[in-house]
Amino acid sequence: SPDAGWVWVNHEYVSNNAPQVGAAPGGQHLTLARFLQHAGVLDLDVTRDSAWDQHAVDTYIESQREQVGASRIRIARSPGSGRWTLVRHLAARRFDATDATLLTLTGYTPVEPDHLDDGNPVPAPGVVTGITNDCSGATTPWGTVITAEENVQNSWGDFETGWRSNQFIVGDPVWGAGRQIDLASGGTALASASSEFGRTSVATRRHNRDLFGFVVEMDPGQPADRYYRSNRHEGDGTGHRKIGAMGRGPWENASFVVGPDYRLIPGSPVVVYAGHDRRNGRIFKFVSTHPYVCGMTRAEVRSLLDEGSLYIAHFEDLDVRTGLTRYDPANRDCDDTTAYSGVDTLIENCSRFTEGAPGTGRWVRLSIDNGTDPAPNALALGPGTTVGRALRDTHWNGIGGFPDDNTVLGALFTAAAKIGVSELNRPEDLEWNPISRRVFVALTKHGRKVGLKQDGTLAQAATGSTVETARRVDNVGSIWTIVESDSDRPADSLHFSFWPVWIGSQGDGPFDAANPDNLLIDRDGGLWFATDGNRGTNGTADALYYLDLDPARRNKAPGIAFPTRGKAFRIAAGPADSEATGPAFNSDMNTLFLSVQHPGENVDSEWPTSRQRSCP
């Protein structure tokens, strides 16, 4: 309502250096350690390196796992003062990375079943323990919450172990060409001993890494241990679940296609857009197998996410070097043929896409059974080769073969690289705008090497640890719009057009901003975005911005000076060295909520004890 509501808050990670045997923690990990010392959980001098033995590290890890996940709280506005406050007499709920939180993993079969933290079996087949590294998310049209598990490689280890930070794949026993990819081989399934949670010496507290990294649907009114019970399997459709049919990866958020009334479209499958927040990440579209039908119960609607088709966006005209532009030989700055020969060359932006001259792309169904769509890199490696054949081929693009779709879902980044899907500059938040019927996506930045050439083949020339490939230069990020070829039926649309609606900049002008992250579509279809990294790029605090995409708006509000179309103006700035996240309105749009994440992460901040306050 306008004056009360439930707030979902993700607890993504603890910043800075976690403790290790013989090494004291730093930054916010030290803050947590001091709290645990004060509470009597840790009986040691937490600042002394030698005090941290394996037992102390084990104890700390268990407490750290309780700190990440999410919370649901109730807030209300006082009729007298108009201030929003926490409603303490209504039950809040906490969800974390321990077995106090239980979920059902649907649509994906992990390497092996999970177990409880004490080593005992989970209470039912498919049940898994905990959520972690939860970043952004969504509210579903049926009243549950989506929370996306993002950088789980920090907590448990990277499941797709063949890739290195310079975006080349090594020929190890799992991923190399000439063999079938077996996710259970090579000892890569169990939590990495170097990961934050994997450092524990308590064997039962380690969990397989492919149990994390999912788009998660939480049923916030249910207890933390209420795992999902599908109505298709004699359940009541309540509880929490990980949507395995969308696959594994560093998910940032999800957005559901709804009509202008913000309801599901009758007769259409449920459509979910989401992206992988990593350099060279991709954008995905999930389409449920069965359509939504008016009159469905909440449990029946939820069951629609149990199965479906996963599509990946291939931006056909995209210049792989910049992520923003076409390659334009007439532009001297871009006329560098060495960019395609594998030389480590810094490539700047060339000619840009525009609304009048957009780029084009297609949705590729990511399945070994896809015998229709040609692989994006088929022209270079075998004209006419379909996606399914390319995925199964044990030598295609120098990567091993995928024996089944379950393996594809477990290694989406590798599957995308194998068939040559164009790389992007950290696609973070994606939002469906039900008013304009467009998708908006924030591409935060890049700055490192790419993994593919323009034709979708591996760009690597690897010898040992050395790889030569082009480096993508994008320090400022951008926001794009994606328009489906059939915007009234996104579930059926297989093609799209795209162009940037805003491009970040470096400078000290009133409209200079960079590194967009979370997006917000307001009730009128207006676009807002929060930044993550603007302080490092422009020296000014990360903040929330409104982006003017309506040139006619100036005529609707005479006397008010709006910036020109495509300009963003700042609404609220955060404290020092914090990320602005989670923008949201109450239902009548007269209160805007904004989260402050990790203030003072690397630069000192006294927030909130010393902050500027407005005069009475």
Side-chain angles (χ1 to χ4, degrees), residues 466-485:
T466 301
V467 61
E468 296 178 352
T469 184
R471 185 183 300 273
R472 181 173 287 176
V473 177
D474 178 11
N475 297 321
V476 295
S478 57
I479 299 175
W480 292 4
T481 187
I482 297 173
V483 181
E484 297 277 19
S485 58

Side-chain angles (χ1 to χ4, degrees), residues 306-524:
D306 288 345
E307 55 182 296
S309 297
L310 186 65
Y311 295 84
I312 189 168
H314 176 60
F315 294 77
E316 293 177 318
D317 297 330
L318 188 68
D319 181 349
V320 74
R321 300 168 303 156
T322 65
L324 286 171
T325 67
R326 288 189 183 93
Y327 175 67
D328 182 5
N331 186 330
R332 290 186 61 188
D333 292 336
C334 301
D335 190 11
D336 188 347
T337 57
T338 61
Y340 300 106
S341 66
V343 175
D344 180 10
T345 305
L346 296 180
I347 305 297
E348 299 292 347
N349 296 333
C350 311
S351 59
R352 303 187 188 279
F353 297 112
T354 65
E355 184 172 0
T360 59
R362 60 186 172 105
W363 292 105
V364 178
R365 186 166 67 89
L366 203 55
S367 169
I368 67 167
D369 296 326
N370 186 348
T372 303
D373 297 328
N377 54 13
L379 190 62
L381 296 176
T385 303
T386 64
V387 169
R389 181 180 173 186
L391 286 171
R392 294 192 303 268
D393 191 314
T394 58
H395 288 85
W396 188 268
N397 212 15
I399 299 173
F402 286 84
D404 50 49
D405 280 343
N406 193 74
T407 306
V408 172
L409 292 175
L412 291 178
F413 185 81
T414 303
K418 183 174 178 65
I419 63 173
V421 177
S422 51
E423 301 161 296
L424 300 173
N425 296 4
R426 286 186 60 197
E428 296 211 53
D429 205 341
L430 281 87
E431 296 293 338
W432 165 260
N433 188 327
I435 307 302
S436 65
R437 307 197 66 77
R438 296 177 175 180
V439 178
F440 290 92
V441 55
L443 301 174
T444 297
K445 65 184 301 183
H446 202 294
R448 296 184 186 174
K449 295 182 177 183
V450 296
L452 302 177
K453 298 179 184 178
Q454 181 75 30
D455 60 7
T457 60
L458 286 179
Q460 68 187 49
T463 304
S465 61
T466 301
V467 61
E468 296 178 352
T469 184
R471 185 183 300 273
R472 181 173 287 176
V473 177
D474 178 11
N475 297 321
V476 295
S478 57
I479 299 175
W480 292 4
T481 187
I482 297 173
V483 181
E484 297 277 19
S485 58
D486 185 352
S487 59
D488 292 326
R489 297 280 300 183
D492 302 327
S493 182
L494 296 178
H495 296 86
F496 59 87
S497 58
F498 68 94
W499 63 90
V501 295
W502 180 83
I503 298 173
S505 59
Q506 290 179 284
D508 56 5
F511 301 120
D512 283 312
N515 311 122
D517 192 335
N518 283 178
L519 302 178
L520 166 65
I521 307 295
D522 66 32
R523 185 178 58 192
D524 301 323

Side-chain angles (χ1 to χ4, degrees), residues 58 61-62 65 99 115-119 156 191 197-198 200-207:
D58 291 346
I61 289 172
E62 290 312 298
R65 290 177 62 197
D99 63 4
H115 57 267
L116 299 178
D117 286 344
D118 61 4
W156 299 103
F197 297 161
T200 180
S201 66
V202 184
T204 61
R205 302 296 171 89
R206 298 195 190 101
H207 297 268

Side-chain angles (χ1 to χ4, degrees), residues 19-26 29-53 55-57 60:
Q20 301 184 49
V21 175
H29 274 288
L30 180 57
T31 300
L32 174 58
R34 282 172 168 158
F35 169 78
L36 296 175
Q37 180 186 26
H38 175 76
V41 176
L42 289 173
D43 184 16
L44 67 148
D45 179 356
V46 297
T47 65
R48 187 162 53 88
D49 290 344
S50 60
W52 285 91
D53 58 16
H55 175 72
V57 170
Y60 180 89

Side-chain angles (χ1 to χ4, degrees), residues 13 29 114 140 151 191 194 214 223 234 273 278 412 415 418 426 463 497 499 524 552 582 586-587 590:
Y13 58 88
H29 274 288
D114 201 6
T140 69
N151 291 310
S194 62
F214 292 96
E234 301 180 355
Y273 294 100
R278 64 172 291 171
L412 291 178
K418 183 174 178 65
R426 286 186 60 197
T463 304
S497 58
W499 63 90
D524 301 323
N586 66 333
S587 60
N590 65 18

Side-chain angles (χ1 to χ4, degrees), residues 201-335:
S201 66
V202 184
T204 61
R205 302 296 171 89
R206 298 195 190 101
H207 297 268
N208 279 11
R209 42 185 115 172
D210 74 326
L211 301 170
F212 305 91
F214 292 96
V215 174
V216 181
E217 184 191 17
M218 303 297 294
D219 196 350
Q222 299 294 327
D225 62 355
R226 179 72 176 180
Y227 54 87
Y228 175 63
R229 295 158 170 85
S230 172
N231 70 327
R232 294 185 179 181
H233 298 90
E234 301 180 355
D236 59 4
T238 63
H240 322 300
R241 58 118 165 247
K242 298 191 178 187
I243 307 173
M246 291 184 66
R248 284 192 66 265
W251 297 105
E252 169 82 10
N253 85 310
S255 184
F256 289 76
V257 169
V258 292
D261 59 355
Y262 286 86
R263 298 177 183 271
L264 291 173
I265 301 172
S268 172
V270 176
V271 177
V272 188
Y273 294 100
H276 280 183
D277 177 13
R278 64 172 291 171
R279 292 168 179 85
N280 302 347
R282 276 83 170 186
I283 291 171
F284 298 83
K285 178 169 71 171
F286 174 83
V287 179
S288 66
T289 299
H290 303 286
Y292 165 71
V293 178
C294 286
M296 276 184 164
T297 65
R298 182 174 183 266
E300 289 171 334
V301 175
R302 290 193 69 188
S303 70
L304 295 177
L305 296 185
D306 288 345
E307 55 182 296
S309 297
L310 186 65
Y311 295 84
I312 189 168
H314 176 60
F315 294 77
E316 293 177 318
D317 297 330
L318 188 68
D319 181 349
V320 74
R321 300 168 303 156
T322 65
L324 286 171
T325 67
R326 288 189 183 93
Y327 175 67
D328 182 5
N331 186 330
R332 290 186 61 188
D333 292 336
C334 301
D335 190 11

